[in-house]
Amino acid sequence: MISNQVLQSTVEGLKGITRVDICVMDTEGKPLATTIANPEEYESAVLAFVESPADSQVLNGFQFFKVFDDSQPEYILLAKGESEDVYMIGKIAAFQIQNLLVAYKERYDKDNFIKNLLLDNLLLVDIYNRAKKLHIETDVRRVVFLIETKVEKDNSALETVRSLFSAKTKDFITAVDEKNIILVKELKSNETYEDLGKTAKILLDMLNTEAMTQVHIAFGTIVNELKDVSRSYKEAKMALDVGKIFYSTRNVVAYSNLGIGRLIYQLPLPLCKMFIREIFDGKSPDDFDDETLATINKFFENSLNVSETSRQLYIHRNTLVYRLDKLQKSTNLDLRIFEDAITFKIALMVVKYMKYMESLEY
């Protein structure tokens, strides 16, 4: 359960303090972490010690110790030397690893609980019973952050998130799939959505610089009870999808600030197709050439201002008017009229949504 990296760091630290070589093996005699050369030579001695009733023993110039998990041997620890001092150091090392085992087991139990909580796999009575056993408070403010990485199983990103929040033991960092890291963060009574945005920005900057990875971050609404954490998670998932479809330039998206994208995302596809047929008469915005699409997007960016749009496109005002007239003839929508512009903008967003949903089917 404890990673070999953590075990190796532990035995190296202990050797640095005590100057005694230490090796940790599994109960099959395979070395997991060691400062001893050629530890595989002691495999048969470890196997014999596992079968013996003794908790510690001196063999071949080493002190042997058993590290237990629920009364069953989990690790065998070897400390080089036969003196009383080495025996005491071996006992301390075994005690340290025993405590690590308990801590990691508790973290795993909490991690498993949080995963099931997020996925709605627990009954209400189980949520409160298990939370009590794991010493997790039920009536505090929390929010779920969802961090999507470009690379599956991005361990560097996961470790960066843990380094930022693991010291705060009331925050939980976990994952329910290959590309998403989930942070369930406990909030102070005065923390606002503006503060959450700042936290997400700090997280984004840290992941970009420390883990050297590009990520998208979304977060749900603040909930006041543990049982509602799954709702915040679902909201964060929706915000991540809506952000990718409609707000691709944003790296941080809040569920409370999705705008019209939230409405379009919840429309059934048949209704979307009917709407597009009605607006474009069987055509699609994809049929427009790049010049027309660039003109449309710039016109919207400049709040339907003809003069500013023509200036930014480096074209004459009459050229822009000509392009808008041409678009009106093909779609019966005049983007200079607010109602037509709104209809056209929504139609473009609906087409984006349809493309995204269709891509998920393949």
Side-chain angles (χ1 to χ4, degrees), residues 314-328:
Y314 302 103
I315 60 176
H316 195 276
R317 178 189 175 94
N318 290 344
T319 304
L320 177 59
V321 170
Y322 168 75
R323 290 181 186 177
L324 294 174
D325 287 342
K326 184 180 173 184
L327 185 65
Q328 182 183 359

Side-chain angles (χ1 to χ4, degrees), residues 13 39 41 50 76 96 112 135 195 200 236 242 259 261 269 272 276 280 284:
E41 293 178 6
V50 169
I76 304 301
Q96 173 70 12
N112 190 46
H135 309 290
D195 296 320
V242 172
L269 277 177
C272 292
I276 295 303
F280 294 113
S284 167

Side-chain angles (χ1 to χ4, degrees), residues 162-220:
R162 281 189 173 145
S163 69
L164 272 172
F165 296 98
S166 60
K168 301 172 183 177
T169 53
K170 293 181 179 180
D171 296 336
F172 302 102
I173 297 128
T174 188
V176 294
D177 55 37
E178 302 293 337
K179 291 186 73 173
N180 291 319
I181 300 166
I182 299 163
L183 166 65
V184 182
K185 191 174 188 307
E186 184 172 315
L187 305 176
K188 297 175 183 175
S189 59
N190 60 345
E191 282 190 82
T192 64
Y193 285 105
E194 185 180 347
D195 296 320
L196 299 186
K198 290 176 183 176
T199 299
K201 187 68 171 61
I202 292 168
L203 198 50
L204 182 73
D205 292 341
M206 282 289 289
L207 288 167
N208 285 342
T209 54
E210 298 288 331
M212 300 295 288
T213 184
Q214 295 293 317
V215 300
H216 288 92
I217 300 175
F219 55 91

Side-chain angles (χ1 to χ4, degrees), residues 12 27-28 207 241 257:
E12 286 175 358
T27 52
E28 295 178 354
L207 288 167
D241 282 344
N257 191 27

Side-chain angles (χ1 to χ4, degrees), residues 255-300:
Y255 177 81
S256 58
N257 191 27
L258 293 181
I260 198 170
R262 184 204 316 274
L263 297 177
I264 294 172
Y265 183 78
Q266 296 180 82
L267 292 174
L269 277 177
L271 186 61
C272 292
K273 290 175 181 176
M274 188 185 303
F275 175 67
I276 295 303
R277 280 197 302 270
E278 178 186 327
I279 299 301
F280 294 113
D281 193 23
K283 297 177 185 176
S284 167
D286 293 337
D287 298 333
F288 299 138
D289 56 62
D290 292 340
E291 183 183 78
T292 302
L293 286 172
T295 301
I296 293 166
N297 290 329
K298 189 61 71 176
F299 194 53
F300 283 135

Side-chain angles (χ1 to χ4, degrees), residues 14-32:
L14 288 167
K15 183 187 176 178
I17 297 168
T18 64
R19 298 182 184 178
V20 172
D21 280 305
I22 296 170
C23 176
V24 179
M25 295 190 175
D26 63 20
T27 52
E28 295 178 354
K30 301 295 184 290
L32 304 175

Side-chain angles (χ1 to χ4, degrees), residues 106-348:
E106 181 179 340
R107 191 174 99 176
Y108 174 78
D109 285 345
K110 283 186 178 179
D111 188 67
N112 190 46
F113 169 68
I114 293 297
K115 282 181 182 176
N116 283 311
L117 178 66
L118 293 169
L119 297 173
D120 277 333
N121 289 339
L122 297 170
L123 298 172
L124 189 60
V125 65
D126 292 332
I127 291 173
Y128 288 101
N129 286 341
R130 291 187 64 181
K132 186 177 180 180
K133 288 178 183 176
L134 294 169
H135 309 290
I136 297 173
E137 291 185 64
T138 57
D139 298 325
V140 295
R141 299 172 82 233
R142 290 184 175 92
V143 71
V144 174
F145 287 85
L146 194 57
I147 304 145
E148 184 184 72
T149 60
K150 285 189 175 180
V151 182
E152 292 189 1
K153 293 185 178 179
D154 193 333
N155 290 325
S156 60
L158 182 60
E159 289 307 314
T160 300
V161 177
R162 281 189 173 145
S163 69
L164 272 172
F165 296 98
S166 60
K168 301 172 183 177
T169 53
K170 293 181 179 180
D171 296 336
F172 302 102
I173 297 128
T174 188
V176 294
D177 55 37
E178 302 293 337
K179 291 186 73 173
N180 291 319
I181 300 166
I182 299 163
L183 166 65
V184 182
K185 191 174 188 307
E186 184 172 315
L187 305 176
K188 297 175 183 175
S189 59
N190 60 345
E191 282 190 82
T192 64
Y193 285 105
E194 185 180 347
D195 296 320
L196 299 186
K198 290 176 183 176
T199 299
K201 187 68 171 61
I202 292 168
L203 198 50
L204 182 73
D205 292 341
M206 282 289 289
L207 288 167
N208 285 342
T209 54
E210 298 288 331
M212 300 295 288
T213 184
Q214 295 293 317
V215 300
H216 288 92
I217 300 175
F219 55 91
T221 56
I222 297 169
V223 296
N224 295 308
E225 293 188 41
L226 187 64
K227 66 181 177 64
D228 294 324
V229 163
S230 63
R231 190 187 78 220
S232 187
Y233 168 63
K234 289 170 189 169
E235 291 169 347
K237 276 187 73 177
M238 179 179 171
L240 195 63
D241 282 344
V242 172
K244 284 190 287 186
I245 300 168
F246 303 116
Y247 315 114
S248 56
T249 57
R250 296 188 201 171
N251 289 320
V252 175
V253 184
Y255 177 81
S256 58
N257 191 27
L258 293 181
I260 198 170
R262 184 204 316 274
L263 297 177
I264 294 172
Y265 183 78
Q266 296 180 82
L267 292 174
L269 277 177
L271 186 61
C272 292
K273 290 175 181 176
M274 188 185 303
F275 175 67
I276 295 303
R277 280 197 302 270
E278 178 186 327
I279 299 301
F280 294 113
D281 193 23
K283 297 177 185 176
S284 167
D286 293 337
D287 298 333
F288 299 138
D289 56 62
D290 292 340
E291 183 183 78
T292 302
L293 286 172
T295 301
I296 293 166
N297 290 329
K298 189 61 71 176
F299 194 53
F300 283 135
E301 281 177 26
N302 289 293
S303 304
L304 315 184
N305 187 309
V306 174
S307 298
E308 185 60 25
T309 302
S310 59
R311 188 184 70 80
Q312 291 189 21
L313 289 173
Y314 302 103
I315 60 176
H316 195 276
R317 178 189 175 94
N318 290 344
T319 304
L320 177 59
V321 170
Y322 168 75
R323 290 181 186 177
L324 294 174
D325 287 342
K326 184 180 173 184
L327 185 65
Q328 182 183 359
K329 287 177 184 176
S330 63
T331 63
N332 291 320
L333 293 172
D334 186 351
L335 299 194
R336 289 160 292 192
I337 299 172
F338 181 74
E339 187 175 340
D340 284 359
I342 287 292
T343 302
F344 199 96
K345 179 67 174 176
I346 292 173
L348 289 177

